Amino acid sequence: LAVEIERKAPGVHTVLEIVKARWGRPAHLVFLFFTLTCNVIVTSMLILGGAAVINALTGVNIYAAAMLIPVTVAFYTAH
């Protein structure tokens, strides 16, 4: 499948670019909304899962762990 896409659209990098080229701007915006929504849901699930693990291992409040994970990742990424 990837080889066929590369042959037919060599300058395309993402699925959203394929959608825009094939079906136009309205479909591109719909897919953009759904992919961003999916990314937010998955990110939330990962943070809450990590907070549950930290809570189970150390006993830290789950809400504090849920806030510490993004702060720690942002600090680590910035430096």
Side-chain angles (χ1 to χ4, degrees):
L1 181 63
V3 174
E4 287 296 319
I5 292 172
E6 189 65 32
R7 277 192 214 144
K8 293 180 181 178
V12 174
H13 301 97
T14 66
V15 173
L16 287 173
E17 289 176 333
I18 295 170
V19 169
K20 187 174 183 180
R22 172 118 180 153
W23 292 294
R25 183 172 171 83
H28 176 75
L29 293 175
V30 169
F31 272 74
L32 180 68
F33 171 75
F34 283 124
T35 53
L36 288 175
T37 303
C38 181
N39 282 340
V40 167
I41 291 170
V42 169
T43 301
S44 301
M45 289 172 26
L46 288 172
I47 290 171
L48 289 175
V53 169
I54 291 172
N55 176 268
L57 292 176
T58 64
V60 173
N61 185 353
I62 197 161
Y63 298 113
M67 289 304 297
L68 285 175
I69 290 173
V71 169
T72 305
V73 170
F75 180 76
Y76 177 79
T77 305
H79 295 314

